Every structure is written in structure tokens, then in C-alpha cells.
Amino acid sequence: MMEIPITRPHLAGGEQEAVAEAIASGWISQGPRVREFEAAFAARVGAADAVATTSCTTALALALYVSGVGPGDEVIVPSLSFIATANAVWHCGARPVFADVDPRTYNLDAAAAERAITSRTKVIMPVHQVGLPADMDAFFELAERRGVVIVEDAACAIGASYKGGPIGSLGPLACFSLHPRKVITTGEGGMIAVQDPAVAERLRRLRAHGMDTSDLARHAARDVVVEAYPERGWNSRMTDMQAALGLCQLQALDHILRRRRELAERYTAALQQIPEIEAPYDPPYAQRTWQSYCVRIAPGASIDRNELMRRLLNEGIATRRGVMAIHEEASYSGPDIGLRHTEAASRETLMLPLFPDLSEEQQDYVIERLATCLLAQAA
Ligand SMILES: Cc1ncc(COP(=O)(O)O)c(C=O)c1O
């Protein structure tokens, strides 16, 4: 029996040496490699600048904070997302307000988001779910018309594009994750793509206790530097060891995206022969990252999602449930808010193994066992 994990980070080679060099240089915390990684990242996603952080969650909280979000405010988010989307709003003292998703793309529906706007709404936060860009034109139009700000949760979307524009180049603030479950990784880490240089400068202060002088600037100074703290901040600093890893990963990004796409297309072709499983919808306006391959159990299928996952696990194949519904968790539950598409998607979807180093032989095994598990149930 083969053992197939849900994912495995792709290491291009050279990462160990790069991290060892960072350690040998003495720059172990945030230093020149973080600056270099930020510049390379910004160039890759077409942003004016990029600010590194400890995670996408801290990136989102900082992005919301500089967008003016604070206690008493509301931020509209999809419930169909990883819980960090809502936690980041809470970290700012604000309230996440959940709106439903489009049933085909699983991304926040702009019309549903508009219905959730109140006088307290400061920000709408679309999520580019599993690396598929949300319909950004609709959100930018809505933001303009209703006077709210867009912050993008682009955790899974490095390398994705919307109508030809890379995610990271479109809105004022887009936040990426560098966790190993994502497209590229620094172990833990996040990045904020920023268009306004003044906002980028403020974010760099806020991530370092609100201090007006970076360690890099102090190190380069020829005179004594007495720092000041013009506002309160956090510690959300990435280390140079992580940035060294990230620079190697960025070089591998095109290969990673190509390989993910090839494997996703192979799955989609094979699923045409398995009517009980629906392949993901691929809208023409977006180039996605295929951070996950999310399938849906067709209506009337002979098996439920969890039973199928259990059978695949017995065959050595790791899967994960589809994206969670945050409002169904005890930590965010409230009165029934009628998120019909969110609840159905969360119940009926699952992720199949997909990562750049998955071999076609392994993928064929997944497809074959998937078909067998469904047939066994139908018999
Ligand atoms: C949509 C979404 N937002 C935010 C996050 C949080 O990312 P991180 O683990 O880097 O904080 C994740 C990661 O799991 C995610 O999938």
C-alpha cells in the first residue's frame, strides 16, 4: 500500500546552505535578508513594496490596523475560511461579520458582502480561497461606492492573478502566508503587499514595537542612534534565517506553480470518469495557484464525505475536509445567519493530495482508490 501525504513542502535545494550562511553572518533576527526578501517578493507580486511578518495572521491584523480597524468596528469576511481570517479581526478588537460565498468558486460573494454592510463596517476582507482569486472588480466597485476599504486575505495566493494582474498588485493591502501548507514557505511567516510607501513605512514600525529605527538602520549608522516610539506596536518580525529560506523558495515558485497546475489538470481530467465527485470550478478570469485541490461529493452520491475520507485513509491516502465554516465553531457561533452555500460547501468538500513532488504514479493510485471506494459503497 502506498502512503501519500496531503502535502509536502517543495525544497529546491540550496535552502540549508542559505540558512547556514544567515546564521554564520551573525544576522539571526531581522536584518538584510528580510529586506532583500521583501524587495524580491514585492517585485514578484507587482506591489510597490512588501513588509514581512511572522505569519499571515499577524500580517492581516497589521493590515486591518493601518486600515483604521479598532474596537467597535466591523469587518466583513467569509465564514468559509480558515479561522485565522476571523481571529485577525478579533486581534484588532473588532467584530468579524460573516457573509456567504459563491457556491461555485467558494469565494466571498460581493452581493452578500454588500448586504452585510452597516454603519460600523470599515473593511471587507475577501479571501482568495485555496489560491483562487476572488472577483476583485466587484469588490473594488463596492468599496468605492460604499466607502469601505478592501484588505485581501491572500494566504494561499502567491503567484495567482486576476484578469492578468498578479494578486498583490491590485488592492492597497494583500496578506500572504508562508506556512508550509502554502505555496512557498519560510517555516512560519507572512508578507503584506503594500502600494502606499507611507503605509509600508508605518507597517515596518508597527511590526517592531512601534520603534522608528530598524536594527538595519542602527547597524549602518555612523553615530549613536536614540530611537523613539511614536506609536504603540507589536513584535511581528521575521528572522533573517526565514528570509534566506524564502529567497530560495521564491526562485522555485514558477516550478511549483507549473507542477501544481499540471497535477490539478490531471485530476480534473480523471474525475470526468467519476461522476460522484465534482472537480473544482475554474473561472476564466483567474489564474489560480492550486494550493489545494478541493473536490465536492456530487448530490445523491452513495457515500458521505467523512466516510470517503476514512476509506481513503485506510488505503494510505491522506485527505482533509474542505474549508471550514468559521461560524459553526463554538468560538464564533451565534444566531443562525443563513450561510447556506458556506454550510453546504464545508460539509460536502474535501482536499485530495496535491504538492509539487507528488509523482504521477502516486496520483494515479489516489484516483484509482477514489473510484474503488465509491464503487465499493455503491455495490
Ligand atoms: C485563508 C487563510 N487565512 C489565513 C491563514 C493564516 O496563515 P498563517 O498560518 O500564516 O497565520 C491561513 C492559513 O492557514 C489561511 O488559509
Side-chain angles (χ1 to χ4, degrees):
M1 188 171 77
M2 284 193 193
E3 289 284 338
I4 304 182
I6 185 73
T7 193
R8 188 179 292 142
H10 172 80
L11 297 180
E15 282 90 348
Q16 286 194 26
E17 292 78 2
V19 174
E21 258 176 46
I23 294 170
S25 78
W27 276 108
I28 291 172
S29 61
Q30 187 166 283
R33 285 169 191 78
V34 168
R35 198 66 204 93
E36 198 187 329
F37 183 38
E38 290 175 333
F41 196 102
R44 185 62 173 79
V45 303
D49 203 348
V51 177
T53 61
T54 45
S55 69
C56 183
T57 310
T58 53
L60 288 168
L62 285 168
L64 291 171
Y65 186 76
V66 297
S67 301
V69 173
D73 292 332
E74 293 178 351
V75 176
I76 298 172
V77 296
S79 164
L80 193 74
S81 186
F82 182 56
I83 200 160
T85 302
N87 284 342
V89 176
W90 173 67
H91 293 163
C92 287
R95 191 168 83 86
V97 174
F98 300 116
D100 213 354
V101 292
D102 176 303
R104 290 198 302 175
T105 63
Y106 307 136
N107 276 327
L108 184 63
D109 175 23
E114 181 163 19
R115 287 193 293 277
I117 293 177
T118 71
S119 57
R120 296 197 171 121
T121 308
K122 275 267 168 63
V123 166
I124 299 178
M125 195 156 82
V127 177
H128 304 304
Q129 201 50 264
V130 297
L132 170 63
D135 188 5
M136 293 311 293
D137 281 351
F139 286 107
F140 291 137
E141 186 277 326
L142 179 57
E144 176 90 28
R145 189 160 45 78
R146 300 294 301 265
V148 296
V149 176
I150 301 294
V151 171
E152 296 162 74
D153 181 340
C156 307
I158 179 170
S161 57
Y162 172 78
K163 297 187 179 171
I167 295 300
S169 70
L170 306 173
L173 294 156
C175 301
F176 298 84
S177 173
L178 296 160
H179 182 270
R181 180 82 178 84
K182 304 304 189 293
V183 180
I184 60 169
T185 185
T186 56
E188 294 281 355
M191 192 69 83
I192 313 171
V194 193
Q195 315 307 341
D196 181 338
V199 173
E201 199 180 313
R202 184 170 176 219
L203 284 165
R204 288 202 169 89
R205 282 200 307 271
L206 289 171
R207 73 164 173 204
H209 307 287
M211 188 172 20
D212 70 347
T213 309
S214 71
D215 293 337
L216 205 54
R218 188 200 297 270
H219 187 73
R222 290 279 159 269
D223 199 356
V224 169
V225 176
V226 178
E227 81 282 4
Y229 300 84
E231 63 179 324
R232 298 174 188 183
W234 288 266
N235 179 0
S236 308
R237 287 178 303 221
M238 179 181 275
T239 69
D240 256 30
M241 296 177 286
Q242 292 170 301
L245 186 52
L247 282 162
C248 296
Q249 288 273 289
L250 264 187
Q251 285 181 9
L253 178 59
D254 285 331
H255 165 78
I256 291 171
L257 292 169
R258 188 167 49 249
R259 193 64 197 136
R260 283 186 172 279
R261 186 168 57 250
E262 284 166 2
L263 290 165
E265 285 170 359
R266 277 187 100 242
Y267 267 138
T268 299
L271 289 179
Q272 303 313 306
Q273 310 306 316
I274 309 181
E276 291 191 297
I277 300 292
E278 290 174 2
Y281 170 64
D282 208 12
Y285 58 74
Q287 190 102 35
R288 63 204 286 168
T289 61
W290 294 108
Q291 179 268 340
S292 287
Y293 191 84
C294 180
V295 299
R296 190 167 190 145
I297 310 273
S302 53
I303 193 166
D304 89 346
R305 192 269 315 269
N306 291 358
E307 181 56 22
L308 178 60
M309 290 175 68
R310 207 166 291 123
R311 285 179 187 206
L312 288 168
L313 192 59
N314 289 340
E315 300 287 350
I317 299 166
T319 58
R320 292 288 181 276
R321 66 167 178 176
V323 181
M324 64 186 292
I326 303 172
H327 75 283
E328 294 187 324
E329 293 300 319
S331 46
Y332 282 102
S333 66
D336 183 1
I337 39 178
L339 301 177
R340 186 163 67 89
H341 299 309
T342 298
E343 287 165 13
S346 181
R347 203 168 47 236
E348 295 164 11
T349 56
L350 69 147
M351 317 291 197
L352 299 181
L354 180 70
F355 49 92
D357 300 318
L358 181 73
S359 71
E360 293 186 359
E361 187 195 3
Q362 287 175 310
Q363 189 182 32
D364 289 342
Y365 175 79
V366 175
I367 294 162
E368 186 256 319
R369 289 304 147 116
L370 184 59
T372 322
C373 288
L374 289 162
L375 275 178
Q377 176 69 14

